Each structure stands twice: as C-alpha cells, then as structure tokens.
C-alpha cells in the first residue's frame, strides 16, 4: 500500500524530461501528428487524449494510482466527490429504475437522491444499514443499485458490506460504496463485494484541505453481460458513440467507466483540473502514514468524551453501545478514520457554545484535513433534510461533528475540555429567572 501510494501510475522514466514528481499537464487540447489519428480517437478506435474535458495525462496518473490502491480495473477522476456520486449513479440508473440506499449518508448525497435523481425518473428507498432484512425487502425487480458509505458521515457507522453485497448480487444489483472516510488505507470495499467505489478525494486522499476532487473506481466484479436486459445502455449499440460499451474492452472490463466518461464526464463537464490531480497525488503519498495516526487520535478522544457531563452520546465504532463494534474489529484493523460525532444534552445552544469555545479546532464543513475541524451538521451539511431523515442518520439539534487531524493528542483534548467547560457554563433551566406571577 505505502509503496503503491508513492509509485503507482508514475515512473520518472515515463516523462520526456525525467520529472521525478508527476508533472501538471496544463493544456486544453492535444496536438496530433495527422488528421487520421484524431479521427480514430473520436471513432473510439484507439486510446489517447484529444481535449482535457474528458481526459488529461496528470489526471490519468491519479486514475491509475487509485485503481492500484483499491485493487480495481480502472478509475475516472472528476471535479468533486459530489460529481463522482452523480456520475456513477447516472451511468448505472436509467429512468424507471430504482435504488436502495443506506439512510446513513452524507447530506449532499441524500439531497441528490431525493431531488435531482427523482427529477431524472429514478426512485430511491432508504433503509437502516444494519437491518439485513430491510435491504432484502427494499430490493425490487427495478432495483439496479444499492448505495452505502463504508464509514458513514457523521456518526462513523460501519456496515457489514459482505452481507449486504451478497443480498444485492443474488438479485443482480450493483453495489456502489462511497469510501470517502475510510480511504483505501483503512478499507478496500472491493474485497468485501463492492462493484463500484466512489471517493470524495477532497477529504483524506488530498488530505490537506486544499483541493476538491472525486474518484470513481470499477473493482471489476460487475459484468453487464451477465444480465444484458438489465443493463441495456451498456449491452446494446450506443447510437451516439457507435459502439457497445460492454463489448468494447477486454473480457475483464465492464465498459461502465468508458460509458461514464464518454457520456457523463463529457456532458456534465465536471472535469478535474490537472493541478488538482497533482495535489491529490501528493496527498496520497502520505495517506498510509496519516490514516492510522488520525484513527488512533480519534478513538482516544471519542473514548475520553464518552460519559462526560453534558454529553448525551458519543458516536464512534469503538464504544460499547455501538452495534458495529464487531465489524470494526473484523474489517477495520487499522482504525476507522478521524470523523465522529457527539450529541450534547443542551441542543443547538450547547453545540454553538461548544464550537465557539474551541481554539485549536476550526469551525468548517469539511472533514479529512490534517487540521482538526468541527461543525454543527443540523444547521449545515444536513440542514436541508427532513427531521425524519436527520434523525435516521443520527443528527439531532445537539450533534456536533468532529474531524480529527494530526495535532498533538493532548492539545486536542485540552481544546475539547474548553468546549465542555463552555457547555457547563451555560445557564440551566433552573438558573433562569422565575416566570412573573400571573395577575
Ligand atoms: C461521504 C461523502 N461523500 C461525498 C461527499 C461530496 O464530496 P465533495 O465535497 O468533494 O463534492 C462528501 C462531502 O463531504 C462526503 O463526506
């Protein structure tokens, strides 16, 4: 893992000038020696670059690197994690089809399923990810995809992916896993049954809070030709491109990524800039060192916060009340990353006092930075959801999400104690002025 994180996709001998680090190819278009070569590229008779909206050499290095790290057969890099989720789902779901998703998802993904995906004629059902019977029941003849996060945002819930994937595959349903919070340093969804893995590379992969990026990885287990009538857009001749995507590649390729790139990356124009691809490549070089260190700090802080006055609940997979403790032990031996949440007794007022008292943590709606971050999901990342949806993903008015970075553990703990002290200092209902007597 640590070797591939540094070497996969780029060898200094590959470039013209021996550049040691992957270079940024800052170009919109690519010169071709003759008319025929560009013509063949557009006719999909050869591979190469024509225009950077649909492919760039720096971005291709990143695609090769994440393919190696996830043990997949190919990848597409796009402009953001949201673009990765959108493009992967658009490529798999056509109007009239159905998706079953975990109800523990990033708020932006839930909004996409509820709003834009519905506009595109795709219905979705959400289920409690730990209720295997619920996954089984929610899948219908129209279901094409199940979607879940390997570590869910913001409560860090883990799912028994092997079990969910077995249920989905028995019904010829593709398993898409958003593995943003885990990253391949902690968990490889393809080894547990995922067919497609998506990442917001904005988070741990880039790792330093500098860059938006998204990745879609094909793990190689999905073959649309097994059930051609369910995947007509891949298994029949595409009018626009003149090819059948499922047949275009070797027998071990699904054709899904070629279809997604040709159609959705090109049409939506959600292109990853080459400079951003290089930032993500640099971030990945230290991923294998960062993730266990971040996970250890996070677990230690979650355990120290558990049971403190003013806290109703701490959500981290290492804690005894959690249903996924066993999954953590079995599937996440290197830790469960740096995101967890606490529910404060005093609701949003307590959450605001807690966040405002912190000096080392930055109030920001990001995770996966080397800096520790804090936010109030109920009024930010999950604010557009219904009360029921918020409740389902464990977000209450008193929930605070923490994303632990790489600062010193004791400094972080001292800061969190400042937050707890501010909560304790809030007036309690008993301190409030007595109500004036009625005349
Ligand atoms: C799990 C998860 N998936 C996807 C996204 C969207 O990624 P981006 O912000 O890079 O578009 C996020 C963003 O927070 C996320 O946490």
């Amino acid at each position: 893992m640590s070797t591939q994180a540094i070497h996969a996709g780029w060898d200094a001998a590959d470039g013209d000038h021996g550049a040691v680090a992957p270079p940024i190819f800052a170009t919109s278009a690519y010169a071709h020696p003759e008319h025929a070569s560009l013509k063949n590229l557009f006719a999909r008779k050869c591979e190469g670059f024509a225009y950077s909206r649909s492919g760039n050499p720096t971005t291709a290095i990143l695609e090769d690197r994440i393919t190696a790290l996830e043990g997949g057969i190919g990848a597409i890099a796009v402009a953001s994690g949201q673009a990765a989720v959108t493009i992967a789902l658009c490529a798999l779901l056509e109007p009239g089809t159905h998706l079953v998703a975990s109800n523990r998802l990033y708020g932006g993904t839930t909004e996409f399923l509820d709003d834009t995906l519905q506009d595109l004629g795709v219905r979705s059902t959400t289920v409690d990810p730990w209720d295997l019977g619920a996954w089984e029941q929610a899948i219908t003849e129209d279901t094409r995809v199940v979607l879940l996060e390997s570590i869910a945002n913001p409560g860090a819930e883990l799912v028994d992916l092997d079990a969910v994937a077995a249920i989905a595959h028995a019904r010829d349903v593709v398993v898409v896993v958003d593995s943003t919070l885990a990253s391949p340093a902690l968990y490889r969804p393809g080894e547990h049954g995922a067919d497609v893995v998506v990442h917001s590379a904005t988070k741990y992969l880039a790792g330093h809070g500098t860059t938006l990026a998204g990745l879609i990885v094909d793990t190689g287990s999905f073959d649309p030709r097994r059930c051609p009538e369910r995947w007509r857009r891949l298994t029949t001749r595409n009018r626009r491109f003149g090819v059948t995507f499922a047949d275009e590649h070797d027998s071990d390729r699904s054709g899904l990524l070629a279809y997604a790139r040709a159609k959705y990356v090109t049409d939506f124009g959600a292109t990853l800039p080459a400079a951003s691809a290089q930032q993500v490549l640099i971030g990945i070089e230290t991923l294998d060192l960062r993730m266990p260190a971040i996970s250890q700090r996070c677990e230690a802080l979650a355990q120290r916060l558990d049971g403190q006055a003013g806290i109703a609940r701490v959500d981290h997979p290492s804690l005894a009340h959690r249903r996924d403790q066993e999954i953590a032990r079995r599937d996440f031996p290197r830790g469960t990353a740096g995101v967890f949440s606490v529910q404060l007794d005093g609701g949003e007022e307590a959450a605001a006092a807690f966040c405002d008292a912190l000096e080392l943590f930055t109030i920001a709606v990001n995770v996966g930075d080397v800096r520790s971050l804090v936010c109030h999901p109920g009024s930010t990342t999950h604010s557009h959801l219904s009360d029921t949806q918020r409740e389902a993903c464990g977000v209450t008015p008193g929930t605070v999400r923490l994303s632990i970075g790489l600062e010193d553990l004791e400094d972080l703990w001292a800061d969190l104690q400042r937050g707890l002290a501010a909560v304790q200092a809030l007036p309690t209902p008993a301190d409030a002025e007595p109500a004036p007597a009625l005349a």
Side-chain angles (χ1 to χ4, degrees):
M1 165 78 203
S2 53
T3 303
Q4 284 183 327
I6 294 168
H7 292 282
W10 179 250
D11 181 338
D14 290 347
D16 285 341
H17 307 287
V20 173
I24 299 171
F25 287 89
T27 183
S28 310
Y30 301 83
H32 284 253
E34 60 199 2
H35 157 80
S37 107
L38 206 46
K39 182 177 173 183
N40 286 337
L41 200 52
F42 273 74
R44 306 188 68 79
K45 290 186 178 149
C46 62
E47 295 197 346
F49 299 105
Y51 191 63
S52 278
R53 174 146 40 87
S54 47
N56 169 285
T58 312
T59 310
I61 298 167
L62 173 59
E63 291 167 347
D64 288 348
R65 189 159 297 175
I66 193 67
T67 301
L69 296 183
E70 288 290 6
I73 58 168
I76 304 180
V78 290
S80 66
Q82 196 67 45
V85 173
T86 300
I87 290 172
L89 294 184
C90 282
L92 287 163
L93 294 158
E94 54 185 307
T97 60
H98 174 246
L99 162 124
V100 181
S102 160
N103 61 18
R104 306 265 167 166
L105 291 177
Y106 162 62
T109 306
T110 304
E111 288 183 48
F112 171 68
L113 301 186
D114 262 15
D115 187 6
T116 309
L117 204 58
Q118 290 236 17
D119 290 348
L120 298 174
V122 176
R123 289 167 301 111
S124 56
T125 305
T126 55
V127 295
D128 172 349
W130 290 302
D131 183 349
L132 296 179
W135 287 102
E136 183 92 56
Q137 266 182 1
I139 294 175
T140 69
E141 192 41 40
D142 294 334
T143 309
R144 295 290 179 275
V145 171
V146 304
L147 171 70
L148 54 91
E149 293 178 9
S150 53
I151 302 179
N153 178 356
E157 292 89 356
L158 314 173
V159 180
D160 186 349
L161 179 54
D162 296 86
V164 175
I167 292 168
H169 290 156
R171 312 272 290 273
D172 290 310
V173 169
V174 166
V175 179
V176 178
V177 174
D178 181 335
S179 206
T180 295
L181 296 196
S183 92
L186 300 180
Y187 185 77
R188 302 215 297 179
E191 292 171 0
H192 299 271
D195 302 299
V196 175
V197 180
V198 293
H199 286 285
S200 166
T202 313
K203 314 295 192 273
Y204 290 112
L205 293 170
H208 297 76
T210 58
T211 310
L212 281 172
L215 296 163
I216 308 169
V217 183
D218 185 337
T219 67
S221 47
F222 168 49
D223 185 350
R225 289 168 296 190
R226 273 200 298 267
C227 252
E229 71 291 348
R230 283 171 73 79
W231 306 101
R232 280 172 297 141
R233 295 188 306 168
L234 296 171
T235 56
T236 56
R237 188 169 184 280
N238 184 293
R239 238 182 326 117
R240 174 173 165 193
F241 299 104
V243 294
T244 301
F245 282 97
D247 294 343
E248 197 176 36
H249 293 292
D250 305 333
S251 56
D252 63 344
R253 304 262 181 115
S254 67
L256 176 68
L257 293 183
Y259 175 64
R261 189 193 297 277
K263 181 164 169 168
Y264 294 105
V265 176
T266 306
D267 286 356
F268 293 167
T271 306
L272 182 68
S276 299
Q278 198 209 38
Q279 289 278 311
V280 181
L281 282 162
I282 292 169
I284 289 176
E285 289 174 354
T286 55
L287 182 72
D288 200 42
L289 285 177
R290 282 185 282 115
M291 294 312 287
I294 285 174
S295 303
Q296 281 159 17
R297 282 165 176 72
C298 181
E299 183 170 328
L301 292 170
Q303 287 179 354
R304 289 185 195 185
L305 284 170
D306 193 32
Q308 295 285 333
I311 294 186
R313 181 184 164 100
V314 177
D315 258 310
H316 185 274
S318 67
L319 298 174
H321 69 82
R322 284 283 295 249
R323 290 189 274 178
D324 49 358
Q325 231 188 353
E326 186 45 41
I327 301 173
R329 264 196 291 269
R330 189 190 66 195
D331 296 343
F332 291 80
R334 302 186 80 207
T336 56
V339 176
F340 74 109
S341 61
V342 295
Q343 279 177 32
L344 296 166
D345 284 323
E348 185 169 349
E349 194 192 352
F354 181 85
C355 294
D356 288 344
L358 301 178
E359 292 173 10
L360 196 52
F361 281 77
T362 305
I363 301 177
V365 286
N366 193 18
V367 297
D369 197 332
V370 289
R371 276 156 286 270
S372 292
L373 309 174
V374 64
C375 80
H376 178 250
S379 59
T380 58
T381 53
H382 291 66
S383 62
H384 299 146
L385 307 190
S386 68
D387 290 345
T388 321
Q389 287 172 321
R390 262 195 298 275
E391 200 178 307
C393 50
V395 174
T396 66
T399 299
V400 170
R401 181 182 74 187
L402 297 148
S403 172
I404 305 304
L406 279 173
E407 299 94 338
D408 178 77
L409 176 64
E410 298 310 325
D411 289 341
L412 290 170
W413 177 232
D415 206 31
L416 293 176
Q417 284 176 303
R418 260 191 289 275
L420 290 177
V423 172
Q424 291 301 308
L426 287 173
T428 60
D431 299 334
E433 293 270 306
L438 290 175

